[in-house]
Every structure is written in structure tokens, then in C-alpha cells.
Amino acid sequence: MGQPGELNNIAHQWCWGTVDLSEPHGWNPLVAELATAACVMLELWDRVLSERQRAELTDAFAADDARSARTAAAFLAGVSRLGHANPSRMASFGAGQRPSAALDAARAAWRTRALEAGLPLPPPGAPSRRADPEHVTAAVLPRLTGCDCADHVDGEQCRDRDHQGLYVAAYALNRHGADVLHSDTVAKAYRATGGPAWDTVRCALADDVARDAGLGARTELARLIRPADPVRLTAFGRLVSQSNALALSDTCGGFGSPHDSREVLSERARRRAREAVARMRVA
């Protein structure tokens, strides 16, 4: 296992997002996909949403101003898929793709480099707890956005009123229609998060998204995010879904590589976001 600094700077780039073996730049690390979703939200806010829609979202977040709501929205859109960074998901590299010798070779190469970088992967074939990524996201995100309370079990909601907005927002990220994630399922999902080693990886991912969203520090989020009612974030949930869809659009093709620096990935994420939103507006 690498040192914490190595994990923060290297290993998180080896969290697998998507891979297209037909594309020369078909390796999209998870950090690149999260950054793109955050940048898409910024583009939607600046170029697509009306003044009234921005005001409604600012009100739903109970943010001090529209600029604060914009930053919080971009960060939350970016980390909405953070739950994919868990041992079961990462060990299933290439799942759902057609079996091939090329995929087997890519899987072996990725695993070797990921372990060298310090990603805490389970041994091949080892059993690991499974949970839907959206439930993992809801289970781990409050800790990453400012809830440091020690008087409750991880995965459960704390009773600190200053932190309630963090839980409301975390549960609202991956809603399906009018459904809200159930707290019991989210609490059970915590068992599939992978423990402290994976907490370090997710923290590195969240820090990268924060930079791309223009957030000075994740500790600011407890002040920026103060919604009282998940239902009021319905429109935001739809925007998060749209941001992810545009970030992962097949029309954009592959754009990342685990070998790219964070600066290169961030610039490509911004460019991809601009192109995706421009296509949406023309359509």
C-alpha cells in the first residue's frame, strides 16, 4: 500500500470509470468522469438555466446567494457517482462488456498498475460486499462534506442540525423520479464501502472535484448546503442526472487516460462539458 500522499496524488486516477477498447484515448478514469459532471453543471448553470431557475435552486439549497448555490451544485453533481469507488465495483472492471482477449489484457494491465499506485483492491475472486453505488454515495458523502460527529454509527444520520443539509443533499443526488433513498438501505450500504483505505481514495476524488467546481475547501459545504426538505431538490436531482448523462455521452468518445495529469484531465473535462452543453442547446 502506498503512503497517504501517494494515494491522494496517484491512486485515485486508477479508479476505473469507463473503457472503450476501440478508442486510443478510451480510458476514462473515474476522476475524469466526476470532474466532467461538475463542469457540465457549471455550464448548465451559466448558459442554460434561466434566472428564475437559478433563483429557485438557490432557495432550495438555502444558500446565501446564487454563486454559493452554483458552486455547491457543481460539486454535488461531480460527486454524485462517488459511490462507484468501492472494492466490489472496482474489482468488476469491464463488467457488462463483451468478453474478449483485448478486454482480458486491459483488465490485467489495469489491475497491475492500480495495485502499484496503491489502490486497495481485494484479491482476485475474493468475496466482497455489494451495494448500489448511489447508496454508497449517500452513505459516505456527509462525512466528506463536513459531518465529523462521533456520536452516531457511520451510515446513519446524525442529529446535529447544522449537518442536516449535508444528509438531505446526499440522499437527493441519485433519486429516481419522486423516490428518495431509504435510510435503512443507505446504512446497510456502508458495509460495502471498503473501510478507511477506500475512504482515503474517495477523499482524494472529492478533493479533485472540489477544485474543478471552484470550491476552496470541502469544509465550506456545511455553510453552502442547508436544504431542509429533499422534495425541494427535485429539480436539482434532474440536473444531476442530466449532468452525468452529458458527461458520459457516447458522442464524446473516450477522452482520458490513467497516465494523464490532473491538470490535463481537468482541461479536457472543461472542454468536454462545453461541447456537450453546446450540442444540447443546438438540439
Side-chain angles (χ1 to χ4, degrees), residues 190-226:
Y190 197 86
R191 305 173 196 167
T193 59
W198 282 92
D199 288 339
T200 302
V201 174
R202 287 186 291 266
C203 183
L205 285 166
D207 283 338
D208 270 356
V209 173
R211 283 190 287 267
D212 287 302
L215 186 68
R218 285 185 286 110
T219 53
E220 297 178 18
L221 288 162
R223 175 179 59 83
L224 300 181
I225 305 172
R226 296 174 296 173

Side-chain angles (χ1 to χ4, degrees), residues 33-247:
E33 296 180 356
L34 302 187
T36 304
C39 292
V40 167
M41 179 62 80
L42 292 175
E43 290 290 318
L44 290 173
W45 189 284
D46 293 340
R47 303 178 187 278
V48 177
L49 297 184
S50 67
E51 194 69 35
R52 178 179 177 180
Q53 288 172 316
R54 289 194 289 267
E56 289 175 348
L57 284 170
T58 300
D59 187 51
F61 274 117
D64 292 333
D65 50 53
R67 184 175 184 82
S68 297
R70 174 184 181 270
T71 300
F75 174 80
L76 290 172
V79 296
S80 62
R81 296 176 63 250
L82 188 68
H84 285 264
N86 71 73
S88 176
R89 163 67 176 166
M90 290 296 111
S92 65
F93 180 100
Q97 293 186 267
R98 180 175 299 177
S100 69
L103 179 60
D104 290 342
R107 182 183 291 112
W110 173 81
R111 182 177 182 85
T112 297
R113 296 297 298 275
L115 290 172
E116 289 174 352
L119 198 67
L121 292 171
S128 57
R129 292 183 180 273
R130 298 177 181 272
D132 291 337
E134 59 263 32
H135 292 111
V136 175
T137 298
V140 302
L141 192 56
R143 286 286 189 187
L144 292 172
T145 51
C147 178
D148 55 359
C149 300
D151 60 348
H152 70 289
V153 178
D154 285 334
E156 296 180 354
Q157 298 190 41
C158 77
R159 293 182 174 82
D160 189 323
R161 295 187 64 180
D162 291 338
H163 296 160
Q164 289 307 297
L166 303 178
Y167 286 86
V168 171
Y171 276 57
L173 284 181
N174 294 289
R175 294 173 58 187
H176 302 285
D179 295 335
V180 177
L181 301 184
H182 196 282
S183 58
D184 287 348
T185 306
V186 172
K188 291 177 182 177
Y190 197 86
R191 305 173 196 167
T193 59
W198 282 92
D199 288 339
T200 302
V201 174
R202 287 186 291 266
C203 183
L205 285 166
D207 283 338
D208 270 356
V209 173
R211 283 190 287 267
D212 287 302
L215 186 68
R218 285 185 286 110
T219 53
E220 297 178 18
L221 288 162
R223 175 179 59 83
L224 300 181
I225 305 172
R226 296 174 296 173
D229 183 0
V231 176
R232 298 197 67 195
L233 290 177
T234 298
F236 174 64
R238 289 196 293 267
L239 276 175
V240 168
S241 178
Q242 188 170 30
S243 295
N244 278 306
L246 290 170

Side-chain angles (χ1 to χ4, degrees), residues 1-11 117-118 200:
M1 177 74 66
Q3 297 299 313
E6 294 173 343
L7 280 171
N8 285 334
N9 295 319
I10 301 173
T200 302

